[in-house]
Amino acid sequence: MKNKIVLWSCFLLMSLSSFSQSISSSPYSLYGVGSLYDSDFGNLPSIGGSGIALPSDTFINNLNPASLGFMYQNHFLFDIGGKAIATTYQSSTRTEKRNNFQFSHLAFAFPVTKNSGFSLALRPYSSSVFKISNLKLPIADSQEYYYVTAQGSGGLNNLDFSYGYRFGKKLTLGATGTFLFGNTVDDRAFLISNAITTIHKKTDYNGVRATLGGQFKIDSTFTIGTTVKVPSRIKASKVQSVASIADEVETAVETNVATDTDDYYMPLELGFGVSKRFKNNLNLTLDYEKSFWDSTKQSELYGEFVNQDRFALGISYNAKKNIRKYWDRVGYSAGINFDNGYLEVDKHRVNNASVSIGLNLPIENTFSSLNISYSYGQKGRIANDLIKENYHKISINLSLDGIWFVKRKFE
């Protein structure tokens, strides 16, 4: 046990370092607080990000706080993960490739009573890292154009406190309190005729959000789950500098001026999932989520926020023929994921679709495992000034299980 505590401490220090250096790049992170981050624990990335109805018995399920009500006694769970992503960006005129590594999450969970569990998780919520050069845009009510060059960094982080309680043997309810914090830095230059206007803007965000969840075991093989993410307001404050350049003369319009800016609104989000096990070794998960972005009444200069639908399907298999043979304990999984996007640019949805496969490699004779998954996906499309992203993603999640407060029977 002492060795495991030392190991967890090392991973904690490594993860905090990785967290501060996490990088994600996408031209669509230009909008709002950036591109929303898919940070799934355990083997969830390999089953398409589905799992609203899965219990937190052998891993931490961050999709539904109610899952903590099914935790086993005396088990302390720890989860840490990261992703390597290779992306090709395509427009109607050019192609560009980028590679990066991203910190995914750091979390731990433990039972509070025989019917309840608690978890704490740190993970990114969004990433706003982009670089756009000489984007040609029309001037409203005119036949002329202007050009935009933009570069940004930053994003928001999630600190989640979750609790789940089991009523009887079938029903669990849970809640998550989320503290969101972070900032974005945005530098833009607008070229109109022969005049250039530059804007440097740093925006700080902070706020809280609540998530409610429930799971119900219809029988030993069939579970349903649901989640409700409450709409919330994330407060924003902005410091901005503006300068103009004309005839090679730069004039400062304002320097580090605190100005009003619109707060960021997170929508009502509803989720529903099912989990069905067949012959004790094949498990099917299916999720559907609806995000009501349109009701937040938010818009961007280059696009609109619209309601989003997300579908996820996953299949996992474990032979379990002989538990003494390592490869009979290995789990295999696959999944698909599709969402029609919450952004509409030039009347086109920025949708996202992906397929995934993965392995669950057990460690020792506990619930500890190394989860490795590969995903291929496409986001956006080639149309007018839009960009299509083709990405290959490898996710690695280390799930550790420690048995605490159990007396030894033999010395």
Side-chain angles (χ1 to χ4, degrees):
M1 177 55 66
K2 292 182 179 179
N3 291 336
K4 288 186 177 180
I5 293 175
V6 172
L7 179 63
W8 289 349
S9 299
C10 291
F11 274 112
L12 174 62
L13 294 175
M14 291 171 60
S15 66
L16 292 178
S17 175
S18 298
F19 187 80
S20 64
Q21 300 173 13
S22 177
I23 297 175
S24 173
S25 59
S26 170
Y28 295 110
S29 64
L30 171 74
Y31 300 91
V33 295
S35 298
L36 302 189
Y37 200 93
D38 57 333
S39 179
D40 298 326
F41 302 178
N43 72 328
L44 296 181
S46 63
I47 54 175
S50 60
I52 291 177
L54 291 177
S56 286
D57 50 0
T58 60
F59 77 104
I60 305 173
N61 181 1
N62 64 297
L63 299 181
N64 191 341
S67 64
L68 294 167
F70 288 113
M71 281 199 70
Y72 291 126
Q73 286 291 288
N74 304 115
H75 285 263
F76 184 98
L77 302 179
F78 179 87
D79 209 297
I80 184 174
K83 304 177 183 180
I85 304 178
T87 308
T88 300
Y89 302 93
Q90 293 178 289
S91 69
S92 56
T93 58
R94 59 180 297 185
T95 298
E96 182 177 339
K97 295 184 179 181
R98 298 179 190 173
N99 302 320
N100 60 72
F101 176 80
Q102 306 173 2
F103 166 79
S104 176
H105 64 274
L106 169 69
F108 65 84
F110 56 88
V112 178
T113 67
K114 66 178 182 179
N115 293 327
S116 64
F118 171 84
S119 73
L120 176 66
L122 177 66
R123 57 192 177 91
Y125 170 75
S126 67
S127 180
S128 180
V129 179
F130 58 88
K131 186 175 182 180
I132 298 174
S133 301
N134 297 321
L135 177 63
K136 183 179 179 182
L137 295 171
I139 299 176
D141 302 322
S142 172
Q143 299 297 319
E144 298 183 2
Y145 292 84
Y146 68 99
Y147 296 85
V148 177
T149 296
Q151 183 171 339
S153 62
L156 268 63
N157 307 308
N158 266 3
L159 182 60
D160 296 333
F161 301 85
S162 301
Y163 179 78
Y165 188 88
R166 186 176 78 251
F167 298 87
K169 295 183 179 181
K170 293 188 175 183
L171 175 66
T172 64
L173 298 178
T176 297
T178 299
F179 176 57
L180 291 107
F181 60 96
N183 61 71
T184 60
V185 177
D186 192 327
D187 290 286
R188 303 192 188 189
F190 300 86
L191 173 61
I192 304 176
S193 298
N194 294 321
I196 300 176
T197 300
T198 63
I199 300 176
H200 172 80
K201 177 177 64 175
K202 180 181 179 181
T203 308
D204 292 292
Y205 297 92
N206 68 84
V208 295
R209 192 186 197 189
T211 300
L212 306 176
Q215 288 185 344
F216 184 77
K217 282 191 174 183
I218 296 177
D219 57 40
S220 61
T221 66
F222 188 34
T223 303
I224 61 174
T226 185
T227 57
V228 178
K229 295 182 179 180
V230 179
S232 61
R233 176 182 178 182
I234 308 302
K235 295 182 180 179
S237 59
K238 179 178 67 175
V239 176
Q240 180 173 280
S241 297
V242 180
S244 63
I245 303 174
D247 298 326
E248 299 183 355
V249 177
E250 181 175 351
T251 303
V253 179
E254 57 184 32
T255 304
N256 294 330
V257 176
T259 58
D260 293 334
T261 187
D262 293 334
D263 293 334
Y264 180 69
Y265 292 88
M266 303 178 71
L268 170 67
E269 298 183 63
L270 304 177
F272 178 78
V274 298
S275 174
K276 175 64 177 178
R277 189 173 70 251
F278 302 91
K279 296 183 179 180
N280 293 322
N281 56 7
L282 180 67
N283 199 82
L284 174 70
T285 53
L286 176 64
D287 287 2
Y288 168 73
E289 290 182 282
K290 179 78 172 184
S291 302
F292 296 89
W293 286 96
D294 185 59
S295 61
T296 65
K297 306 300 182 183
Q298 296 178 110
S299 63
E300 286 281 337
L301 178 62
Y302 314 116
E304 301 288 338
F305 286 82
V306 293
N307 292 340
Q308 179 185 29
D309 299 284
R310 187 183 78 91
F311 303 87
L313 173 67
I315 298 175
S316 56
Y317 174 79
N318 194 317
K320 293 184 179 179
K321 294 178 181 179
N322 186 343
I323 61 174
R324 294 184 179 182
K325 294 183 178 180
Y326 181 81
W327 288 103
D328 281 352
R329 294 187 289 123
V330 171
Y332 307 87
S333 51
I336 58 175
N337 186 298
F338 173 80
D339 76 75
N340 60 359
Y342 63 95
L343 287 174
E344 187 175 82
V345 182
D346 196 22
K347 300 187 183 301
H348 292 288
R349 290 268 192 157
V350 183
N351 54 27
N352 181 48
S354 65
V355 296
S356 57
I357 56 174
L359 290 175
N360 176 271
L361 303 174
I363 302 174
E364 298 181 340
N365 292 317
T366 64
F367 297 141
S368 297
S369 64
L370 179 64
N371 296 280
I372 303 175
S373 69
Y374 163 77
S375 303
Y376 171 74
Q378 295 183 350
K379 181 178 181 180
R381 66 177 72 188
I382 301 175
N384 297 332
D385 293 319
L386 297 185
I387 295 173
K388 181 179 180 180
E389 300 179 17
N390 295 278
Y391 58 88
H392 301 268
K393 177 169 61 179
I394 295 177
S395 300
I396 300 178
N397 293 342
L398 179 63
S399 301
L400 297 177
D401 170 40
I403 300 177
W404 288 26
F405 310 117
V406 176
K407 294 182 179 179
R408 291 185 179 181
K409 294 184 179 181
F410 303 98
E411 293 293 340

